[in-house]
Amino acid sequence: MFASRLLRSHLKRRCRGYGQSPALKNDVLDRIVYNSVLQSKKPVKHWYNVRERLKKQRLEEIKCDVEPVSLQYLDGYTGADETAEHRAAKVPMDRPHNFPYSIVSKIVGDKHVSKQTEDTEDNEISYDYELNELMTKNWMSDYECYEERNLEEENSIPSWTSEYGTPDPSILVSNVPCGGCGALLHCQNSSIPGYLPSELFCHCGPEDLRTMVCQRCHFIQKYNTALAVQVDPVEYPKLLYPIKKKRALIILMVDLTDFPCSIWPNLMECIGINKPVVVVGNKLDLLPGDFPGWVEHAKKSLVQSIPKDINIKHVTVVSAKTGFGIEELINKLHSLWQTKGDVYLIGCTNVGKSTMFNTLLQSDYCKVKAVDLVQRATTSPWPGTTLNLLKFPIMRPSNWRLYMRTQRLQYERKERILEQQLDADQRRSLKLKINDLPSIIGQIGLTFHKQSSVGDIVKQNETDPFTTNAVKVNTNRVTSSTLGFDENEPQFKNSKFMYDTPGVVHPDQSINLLTTEELMMTLPTTVMKPRTFSLRPLQSLFVGGLGRIDCLKTGAKFVRFTVFSAHTLPITVCNTEDADEVYEKLLGTHLLAVPCGSIERLSKWPGLSSYKNPIQLTGINEKTSCADIVLSSAGWVAVTPYENDVCYVQAWTPESRGIYIRTPPLLRYAINHRGPRIKFTPTYHAKKE
């Protein structure tokens, strides 16, 4: 009883710091057994940034309230009333939410306020004025062929239109794909993939367009902002139907943090039967190793989740972001497929296909002359970034090339061994911990790529695409350089290609239910540190607002649950009888984090639905987890009952999506990474290595 009162008082003190209403204090806090946001020593970084932003905004408002007397003597100044009205116009009415496949109307800021204009109601002001001000000033200013002109004076066009550009439906679509997403460039409609402003599109020829990206990719790369486009996700798989008639190798990408939910459904219907498939588990760098052979165990766990009707030729696990396992994958592709046909990267949304495409582009798998010509694919956390097929030519693995590549790999391997020995000696001398540096890192090199010397320019001017306006020997004709990648050039015409394809949303994924802000908090970007909790019978555990686990019955006093998810998803524990009420009261607050937003946004949230039947699990021992319960797009929970203890659990996700029981667990010994129990709470400290 004393511990319960102490915990309740501690929660209320923590809650005051977050500005919760009295109703939330009295009704909910008494029913919460544990919440990671309230009881953590340091709040989640995302919410810390939110509070800091609000503080800065308030400070700016206070500064605006104090006006120097000297402003009264400026021309056009009408006093404090004008400043107050200008500030009132910038107050956001409701923040728009950008869903991955929805259509969002444009909201722009008018930065040129006329001195004589009195009616400001028609001006559309964005939620974040400074962000739109930056986007307006710098819109596509990095392109040399885009000329900043004052179109307002010439054609009486509003000032924001001259910055963002205008569509022109009368101009035909080009045959040049966007270098970032693959959509054909055009200026007809801003809501269709591949759009460029007509002011920019009309001044560019085909060679110039090959070096450019569309408006959507530009905003993703420069401002980390996704613009919605009018594309039905059902249309994406139709781009792959021609593969049935081709001789091709399929690289099936799988997200190791979300499988089997990220394994492409009905794959054989798209590619046809008997197509050779190489399965690549990606994002290995996000998994915390639990024992020395955990990488091989992760590969075996992936194999068990793959449907049996797929013609699997090879299975591997890599990290396309850090390069771990990429060189070994290239060796396997060279020996298994060579250049018998094209190669297609296929997978669900957000499994890392574009990152893998960019990584292979900068390796020995791409032709040397195309490494610096093909643009990098646009990568982002938003689903559906790639909208069409991107490609680069594959290098033919002749015997002498394979020999030179092997020599380079052997030399680099010896260097890495020496570096590891030196690193181990330094750790022993300085008494550093073994987990101070990440270990899932690989090196990717180029065997044949060399910079051209100045003396070779005249000799190579016929084939070197970087030779600009070089004059041929014994001729007066000027040769212009080729900008971008042109597959019709002689050196690429008969090549086989590696294709990056658009992804589809698996029916078991919850990604398409989330807004942009929610996706940023749901998808892990760093190593997922295991968080262990002890649940007694009839207690429930929430993973943010995306998943719930109920401990229904067990023969022991408690069962340990280890959560693997993004650190920005809070963990909440309460009694099962109060779970529905707690979820309803905390929905939309920072205590659940996801989902979040306005009342209109939360009204569209489907809520959580339970799995069809309770899950029965039998414990192995207290140091080994017996199974993983996969929660769609939110991660998974490893269950560790005592030896031979039979427990019953129930799982909940939005619309019951993506609930799987994975045996054996992916990281079965991660339970041993827990530290001592935190007093008066069901959670454990992280173990100090």
Side-chain angles (χ1 to χ4, degrees):
M1 182 64 69
F2 173 75
S4 178
R5 290 198 301 268
L6 183 63
L7 174 62
R8 191 180 299 112
S9 63
H10 175 69
L11 286 174
K12 290 182 178 180
R13 287 196 304 269
R14 294 290 298 171
C15 198
R16 293 191 194 104
Y18 286 86
Q20 294 297 311
S21 62
L24 183 58
K25 292 182 186 178
N26 299 330
D27 296 344
V28 178
L29 291 185
D30 291 339
R31 293 175 172 83
I32 295 178
V33 177
Y34 173 83
N35 182 271
S36 59
V37 175
L38 294 178
Q39 292 186 322
S40 61
K41 294 182 180 180
K42 295 182 180 179
V44 179
K45 184 178 180 181
H46 171 80
W47 297 109
Y48 176 80
N49 294 336
V50 170
R51 291 199 304 275
E52 290 297 320
R53 187 176 63 184
L54 294 177
K55 288 181 181 179
K56 292 181 180 179
Q57 182 178 357
R58 179 55 184 163
L59 289 176
E60 292 295 332
E61 293 177 357
I62 294 175
K63 292 179 181 179
C64 293
D65 292 337
V66 182
E67 300 172 358
V69 181
S70 59
L71 290 178
Q72 300 178 3
Y73 300 97
L74 295 177
D75 294 336
Y77 181 75
T78 59
D81 295 338
E82 180 180 352
T83 305
E85 292 177 2
H86 185 65
R87 288 199 307 270
K90 294 193 291 183
V91 175
M93 298 183 62
D94 191 9
R95 184 173 182 175
H97 294 279
N98 180 17
F99 285 85
Y101 297 110
S102 64
I103 303 172
V104 181
S105 60
K106 291 183 178 180
I107 300 178
V108 297
D110 190 358
K111 67 175 183 177
H112 301 289
V113 180
S114 176
K115 298 180 181 179
Q116 301 178 355
T117 303
E118 296 181 358
D119 186 11
T120 60
E121 296 180 357
D122 295 335
N123 294 333
E124 295 181 10
I125 306 300
S126 67
Y127 174 77
D128 193 345
Y129 184 78
E130 294 181 357
L131 175 62
N132 282 293
E133 190 79 355
L134 177 64
M135 294 164 61
T136 304
K137 289 181 179 179
N138 298 333
W139 163 239
M140 286 199 167
S141 59
D142 52 309
Y143 293 119
E144 297 179 358
C145 55
Y146 180 63
E147 298 178 357
E148 298 287 349
R149 297 171 298 171
N150 189 358
L151 298 181
E152 184 178 9
E153 297 180 358
E154 298 177 2
N155 302 323
S156 298
I157 300 177
S159 60
W160 67 267
T161 309
S162 65
E163 300 288 352
Y164 278 85
T166 54
D168 189 350
S170 63
I171 300 178
L172 298 178
V173 179
S174 70
N175 295 324
V176 180
C178 168
C181 65
L184 294 180
L185 297 175
H186 67 92
C187 64
Q188 294 186 352
N189 191 335
S190 60
S191 61
I192 298 177
Y195 170 76
L196 281 175
S198 60
E199 290 82 3
L200 177 62
F201 184 83
C202 296
H203 290 79
C204 297
E207 294 183 351
D208 297 326
L209 290 177
R210 293 193 188 101
T211 65
M212 303 178 66
V213 295
C214 66
Q215 181 194 61
R216 179 171 177 266
C217 292
H218 180 82
F219 271 77
I220 290 176
Q221 296 173 1
K222 299 296 182 181
Y223 310 109
N224 198 27
T225 302
L227 302 179
V229 293
Q230 293 179 349
V231 177
D232 188 352
V234 180
E235 299 295 327
Y236 292 154
K238 295 182 180 179
L239 296 171
L240 304 180
Y241 289 156
I243 300 179
K244 291 183 177 181
K245 302 179 181 179
K246 294 183 178 180
R247 188 182 186 185
L249 174 69
I250 306 300
I251 298 180
L252 177 62
M253 298 286 294
V254 180
D255 185 356
L256 291 177
T257 65
D258 188 28
F259 75 94
C261 298
S262 60
I263 298 179
W264 186 301
N266 304 322
L267 177 65
M268 308 308 296
E269 295 181 3
C270 295
I271 65 175
I273 59 175
N274 297 328
K275 281 285 191 305
V277 177
V278 174
V279 180
V280 178
N282 192 25
K283 302 185 181 181
L284 188 68
D285 57 299
L286 299 181
L287 302 183
D290 57 341
F291 75 105
W294 71 277
V295 175
E296 189 65 26
H297 177 73
K299 185 188 302 184
K300 294 180 181 178
S301 181
L302 176 61
V303 172
Q304 295 180 358
S305 301
I306 302 173
K308 304 302 180 182
D309 59 341
I310 299 179
N311 183 20
I312 301 175
K313 296 298 183 181
H314 181 64
V315 179
T316 186
V317 289
V318 303
S319 172
K321 182 179 179 180
T322 65
F324 180 84
I326 299 299
E327 292 284 15
E328 292 77 7
L329 175 62
I330 295 174
N331 290 339
K332 190 64 179 180
L333 294 176
H334 281 161
S335 61
L336 177 66
W337 190 246
Q338 298 180 358
T339 53
K340 299 177 183 177
D342 296 329
V343 180
Y344 289 83
L345 278 170
I346 292 179
C348 294
T349 58
N350 201 49
V351 297
K353 297 186 301 298
S354 296
T355 304
M356 176 64 75
F357 179 86
N358 293 340
T359 301
L360 294 178
L361 176 61
Q362 293 292 313
S363 69
D364 287 342
Y365 201 61
C366 176
K367 277 194 172 183
V368 180
K369 296 181 180 179
V371 169
D372 296 321
L373 293 179
V374 180
Q375 295 191 60
R376 312 299 176 259
T378 301
T379 59
S380 74
W382 293 282
T385 302
T386 303
L387 301 173
N388 210 329
L389 300 182
L390 304 174
K391 61 182 178 180
F392 67 78
I394 300 174
M395 184 190 70
R396 186 174 64 87
S398 58
N399 293 334
W400 72 270
R401 286 196 177 104
L402 294 179
Y403 173 76
M404 293 180 64
R405 172 176 166 80
T406 303
Q407 293 291 104
R408 178 182 66 82
L409 293 177
Q410 290 178 351
Y411 175 76
E412 292 178 352
R413 183 181 179 183
K414 293 179 181 178
E415 284 190 336
R416 283 196 298 269
I417 293 176
L418 293 176
E419 291 176 357
Q420 292 174 359
Q421 293 176 352
L422 179 61
D423 182 68
D425 295 339
Q426 291 177 344
R427 289 180 184 276
R428 283 193 295 268
S429 61
L430 299 177
K431 297 182 180 180
L432 296 177
K433 297 178 182 178
I434 193 161
N435 288 333
D436 286 340
L437 297 175
S439 59
I440 307 300
I441 296 178
Q443 296 180 353
I444 305 174
L446 291 170
T447 307
F448 313 103
H449 187 268
K450 295 182 179 179
Q451 297 292 337
S452 299
S453 61
V454 179
D456 296 336
I457 292 180
V458 177
K459 298 180 182 180
Q460 299 178 1
N461 64 344
E462 295 184 1
T463 58
D464 188 3
F466 300 102
T467 306
T468 305
N469 295 331
V471 181
K472 291 184 178 181
V473 181
N474 299 329
T475 182
N476 295 325
R477 186 169 60 89
V478 178
T479 303
S480 61
S481 63
T482 302
L483 301 177
F485 172 71
D486 187 2
E487 60 179 295
N488 295 321
E489 293 185 2
Q491 60 266 37
F492 306 132
K493 190 172 184 180
N494 297 322
S495 300
K496 303 300 180 183
F497 289 88
M498 157 74 76
Y499 288 90
D500 179 21
T501 64
V504 300
V505 177
H506 195 293
D508 288 335
Q509 289 181 306
S510 301
I511 290 181
N512 60 331
L513 299 177
L514 305 178
T515 63
T516 300
E517 184 178 3
E518 294 164 356
L519 277 173
M520 300 299 290
M521 290 185 287
T522 302
L523 301 177
T525 56
T526 57
V527 179
M528 296 187 297
K529 296 181 179 180
R531 295 177 283 180
T532 303
F533 303 87
S534 294
L535 265 63
R536 299 181 181 274
L538 299 181
Q539 284 189 336
S540 299
L541 180 146
F542 288 96
V543 182
L546 298 175
R548 167 182 160 187
I549 299 292
D550 297 341
C551 182
L552 302 179
K553 182 181 178 182
T554 177
K557 292 183 179 180
F558 59 86
V559 178
R560 293 189 180 96
F561 293 82
T562 305
V563 179
F564 297 86
S565 65
H567 72 282
T568 48
L569 289 179
I571 303 298
T572 305
V573 179
C574 65
N575 294 327
T576 303
E577 60 181 359
D578 300 327
D580 294 336
E581 184 178 358
V582 169
Y583 184 78
E584 181 180 356
K585 293 291 182 64
L586 298 184
L587 193 67
T589 67
H590 66 283
L591 300 184
L592 289 183
V594 178
C596 61
S598 62
I599 298 177
E600 182 182 359
R601 159 70 187 119
L602 297 178
S603 64
K604 299 178 181 179
W605 181 250
L608 301 181
S609 300
S610 62
Y611 191 59
K612 51 186 177 181
N613 295 315
I615 304 169
Q616 178 181 347
L617 300 173
T618 303
I620 301 175
N621 55 62
E622 60 179 334
K623 295 185 178 180
T624 306
S625 300
C626 64
D628 288 339
I629 300 178
V630 181
L631 304 175
S632 173
S633 303
W636 72 92
V637 178
V639 185
T640 313
Y642 283 97
E643 186 175 358
N644 298 325
D645 179 28
V646 179
C647 67
Y648 295 86
V649 298
Q650 183 65 276
W652 304 63
T653 57
E655 299 177 350
S656 302
R657 297 189 182 190
I659 300 177
Y660 289 93
I661 296 88
R662 192 166 56 199
T663 54
L666 180 61
L667 301 171
R668 50 187 172 179
Y669 301 121
I671 184 68
N672 301 312
H673 289 186
R674 73 185 189 280
R677 180 86 167 265
I678 301 177
K679 291 183 179 181
F680 312 123
T681 67
T683 186
Y684 294 83
H685 285 291
K687 186 176 181 180
K688 296 182 180 180
E689 300 292 343

